[in-house]
Amino acid sequence: MIRATIVLLIAHLIIPRLRRQSAAERHAIRAASLATAAVLPLLVLLMPSWQPEWARRVADVLPAAFDAIQPAAGGYGDFIVRATGVESSGWTVSGAIVLLWMLGSSVALLVLGREALKLRRLIASAQLVTDTRPLAIAAGVARSLGLTRPPRLLSSTRVAIPITWGTQRAHILLPDAARDWSDERVWAVLAHEMGHVRRGDWTTHLLAEIVCAIYWFHPLFWLGRSCLGRDSEQAADDIVLGLGANGADYASHLLAIVRAAGRRPTRLTPTVAMARRSDLERRVAALLSGFVNRSRVTRGHLIAIAVVAIVIALPLAAMPARAPSITIELRTTNLAPLVEAANVPERADGTRAPLHVRVLGEPLAAGQGTPPEIEAYTTPPLYSDDARRQGIEGVVTAQAHVDASGHLGGVRVVQGLGFGLDQNALVALRQWRFRPGTRGGAPVAMDVAIEIEFTLRSESINALIANDMATLVGPGVTPPKAVKVVQLKAGAAGVRGTVALDVVLLEDGTPRIVRILRSLTPEADESAVRAFALWRFSPAVKNGRPVKVRMSAEVNFHG
């Protein structure tokens, strides 16, 4: 319903400001907005998923949604956490909401059906107008409006104001007091009611009532329907003036009819009524104004409005509003060590070779300043399983902005290697600390290029650093449990497969993602890393004390 709310809210904000458009044009736009909002939930089910790049960027900066979850019970074996909800075979909140929606819609539709039965009984008790005077006036108005069949005229003592319903054979029900009206008032009333018939307002009104019954819980649908009725009445008034009526005289007829009706019910729901107290002041002001656009809506206008509605509805329906379904499986048992110490090459002096990282700053002349430097090299970039198997080596070049405080931002890969290495480079780079560049002795912000070299010769060294003396979950270690889950962002919508992460869980339950073990796509890798980095766990416990543990996390995308 988020999409429908957006459409209705925009329509409610924009349409009242279209003062240069006629009431008929505003009515058509309002009807299109209601129709678009009503069919969007159905279109969401029918349209294939589509998401442009700008929408992904918007989704990335929106706050993450949190779901309450309960990990599967068990000892220190494998456990599964689902980020999209809690599996349950019993009663669920979502099921209760759907049931309440259906119950409310059923009640609203039953009320509308009851009103239709009341109208049927009213028609049965009404009398056919046989007086030649109103019949002749009706025939003349019908010819002026181009109606092939004049509406059927009825009268009843049970109505206080004129009402209209029907399409192929429309009916106009007049109050019994209409027999004492002057010819001018009869003409004005019939011109107004036949204006509704000419415009097809009864069909639009009935569909709006059905839509409101279905979406009974949504106030913007009811507000849209109310505004729709107000615009249709003013559009019918404009038709009367277009046929030659004087605005002041026509306004006096409206006031007299409303006064005669008093506090009696003004209409039945399945009908279009001529006058309601709530809109009378606005209508009279419009009738007396000489600056109101009173043009009718043309076929070209209707086609243009329909095209715009389709252009808005289809992309909006195809754009996913929530994260794709994922399953994150945490494997915490029998995890092999990252590297054996014997496989780590050493220099001649016994020290381990550092990873080759070069920071390229803005050109600085000698003595004018210094580029940013790495202050704390906390996590090395590591190989993914695919890249190691295929023997990929080379340099990943990333661009970033280092501010005057040494904080890194705007990190992106400008030249990569693929196979998960690009994302692993970003995972490591975001955890480093930098010393800001200087100019004239003062720290300044600089844009830098960072070249991160991947070579199989130093992979074992980096793996040993990443291992970081983490405890493997096993006998004597109480496994962690997920206590805070962040849903996946929509950047990887439509992707199916698994991203495997290598994670070190710190003593406070914060996960530190070390590398991507198995890559899927750059977008899926990024979504998995960003979402899982915000998870929180209860710490693993060994001998009564929180310990750091290593885990592998599998993020399964279901499209």
Side-chain angles (χ1 to χ4, degrees):
M1 294 306 298
I2 295 177
R3 300 174 179 85
T5 301
I6 292 173
V7 170
L8 292 175
L9 187 59
I10 292 176
H12 182 66
L13 293 175
I14 291 178
I15 294 176
R17 290 166 174 78
L18 301 178
R19 297 183 178 89
R20 294 186 178 181
Q21 274 62 45
S22 66
E25 292 168 338
R26 293 195 301 272
H27 179 270
I29 297 173
R30 181 80 67 177
S33 67
L34 275 174
T36 301
V39 302
L40 269 175
L42 179 61
L43 288 178
V44 170
L45 301 177
L46 300 178
M47 291 291 295
S49 180
W50 168 80
Q51 188 175 36
E53 183 63 26
W54 63 265
R56 295 182 182 181
R57 294 176 180 175
V58 170
D60 285 341
V61 301
L62 292 177
F66 298 96
D67 285 346
I69 54 92
Q70 291 181 346
Y76 48 80
D78 299 346
F79 63 95
I80 295 175
V81 181
R82 296 191 181 275
T84 53
V86 181
E87 290 187 347
S88 173
S89 58
W91 185 261
T92 62
V93 175
S94 60
I97 292 175
V98 172
L99 182 61
L100 181 62
W101 182 353
M102 296 175 61
L103 181 62
S105 297
S106 300
V107 171
L109 290 172
L110 285 174
V111 171
L112 185 60
R114 185 192 65 182
E115 292 291 298
L117 290 177
K118 289 172 60 176
L119 177 61
R120 186 182 181 91
R121 289 195 295 268
L122 181 61
I123 296 172
S125 65
Q127 297 179 349
L128 186 66
V129 174
T130 57
D131 189 350
T132 57
R133 181 176 67 100
L135 292 177
I137 295 174
V141 174
R143 285 193 300 271
S144 300
L145 293 176
L147 298 177
T148 56
R149 297 182 62 183
R152 189 182 183 197
L153 298 186
L154 302 172
S155 66
S156 173
T157 58
R158 298 170 58 186
V159 295
I161 61 174
I163 57 177
T164 300
W165 70 94
T167 53
Q168 296 296 326
R169 181 58 167 167
H171 295 72
I172 298 176
L173 183 60
L174 301 173
D176 189 61
R179 67 181 64 186
D180 299 325
W181 289 350
S182 64
D183 290 351
E184 291 78 9
R185 182 169 299 176
V186 172
W187 179 89
V189 168
L190 294 180
H192 178 92
E193 299 301 327
M194 289 191 200
H196 284 307
V197 175
R198 180 68 178 82
R199 288 171 34 83
D201 284 338
W202 179 79
T203 301
T204 305
H205 168 77
L206 187 61
L207 291 176
E209 292 289 346
I210 295 174
V211 166
C212 286
I214 295 174
Y215 298 102
W216 56 271
F217 57 89
H218 203 307
L220 288 181
F221 277 100
W222 294 97
L223 179 61
R225 184 212 63 173
S226 177
C227 295
L228 191 73
R230 183 181 65 212
D231 289 336
S232 71
E233 291 301 320
Q234 188 174 338
D237 291 342
D238 292 339
I239 288 178
V240 176
L241 298 186
L243 292 178
N246 178 271
D249 293 340
Y250 179 54
S252 67
H253 292 312
L254 280 179
L255 291 171
I257 291 172
V258 171
R259 280 199 298 266
R263 295 292 179 181
R264 297 173 61 185
T266 57
R267 68 181 179 98
L268 294 173
T269 300
T271 65
V272 179
M274 179 179 179
R276 288 179 292 179
R277 288 182 177 272
S278 58
D279 297 333
L280 190 59
E281 182 178 351
R282 186 190 304 268
R283 289 174 63 185
V284 170
L287 289 172
L288 299 180
S289 174
F291 303 98
V292 175
N293 181 357
R294 306 188 190 280
S295 61
R296 302 184 189 182
V297 63
T298 64
R299 181 174 298 180
H301 288 152
L302 293 177
I303 294 175
I305 293 171
V307 169
V308 172
I310 293 173
V311 168
I312 293 174
L314 294 184
L316 196 59
M319 195 177 301
R322 58 183 179 181
S325 174
I326 62 166
T327 300
I328 296 183
E329 184 174 355
L330 304 178
R331 300 187 180 277
T332 60
T333 58
N334 303 321
L335 192 61
L338 280 169
V339 65
E340 298 293 339
N343 296 331
V344 180
E346 295 183 353
R347 291 175 173 171
D349 59 3
T351 61
R352 303 190 185 278
L355 180 71
H356 175 66
V357 178
R358 187 161 56 94
V359 179
L360 302 176
E362 298 176 356
L364 296 170
Q368 289 187 352
T370 61
E373 297 178 354
I374 298 175
E375 185 176 41
Y377 179 75
T378 55
T379 303
L382 299 172
Y383 267 80
S384 65
D385 291 345
D386 291 341
R388 183 192 301 110
R389 280 195 301 267
Q390 300 195 38
I392 304 299
E393 293 186 324
V395 174
V396 173
T397 303
Q399 286 187 356
H401 180 79
V402 180
D403 64 19
S405 301
H407 296 128
L408 195 70
V411 184
R412 64 186 182 92
V413 172
V414 294
Q415 185 175 356
L417 298 173
F419 300 96
L421 296 181
D422 303 347
Q423 186 59 46
N424 279 348
L426 296 182
V427 168
L429 183 59
R430 286 168 177 157
Q431 299 183 55
W432 299 349
R433 292 198 304 274
F434 283 78
R435 183 180 298 111
T438 63
R439 187 179 280 116
V444 294
M446 291 186 182
D447 292 326
V448 298
I450 306 172
E451 293 183 348
I452 304 173
E453 183 180 6
F454 284 88
T455 171
L456 294 171
R457 295 188 303 274
S458 61
E459 188 220 349
S460 56
I461 302 173
N462 300 329
L464 184 63
I465 298 172
N467 202 21
D468 201 22
M469 301 299 291
T471 302
L472 299 179
V473 174
V477 177
T478 303
K481 294 183 179 180
V483 296
K484 175 181 172 183
V485 173
V486 176
Q487 290 182 346
L488 198 69
K489 290 295 185 182
V495 174
R496 302 179 68 88
T498 300
V499 175
L501 304 176
D502 189 354
V503 182
V504 172
L505 188 65
L506 304 180
E507 292 89 340
D508 62 356
T510 301
R512 192 183 75 186
I513 298 170
V514 176
R515 61 171 170 165
I516 292 178
L517 294 171
R518 185 165 62 254
S519 174
L520 186 57
T521 67
E523 293 80 8
D525 296 348
E526 181 72 8
S527 296
V529 168
R530 286 184 176 274
F532 194 73
L534 297 175
W535 283 43
R536 293 296 179 268
F537 294 81
S538 63
V541 177
K542 184 177 183 178
N543 298 327
R545 298 181 61 183
V547 294
K548 189 184 302 181
V549 296
R550 266 193 54 233
M551 309 181 299
S552 66
E554 292 185 354
V555 182
N556 300 315
F557 293 79
H558 304 308

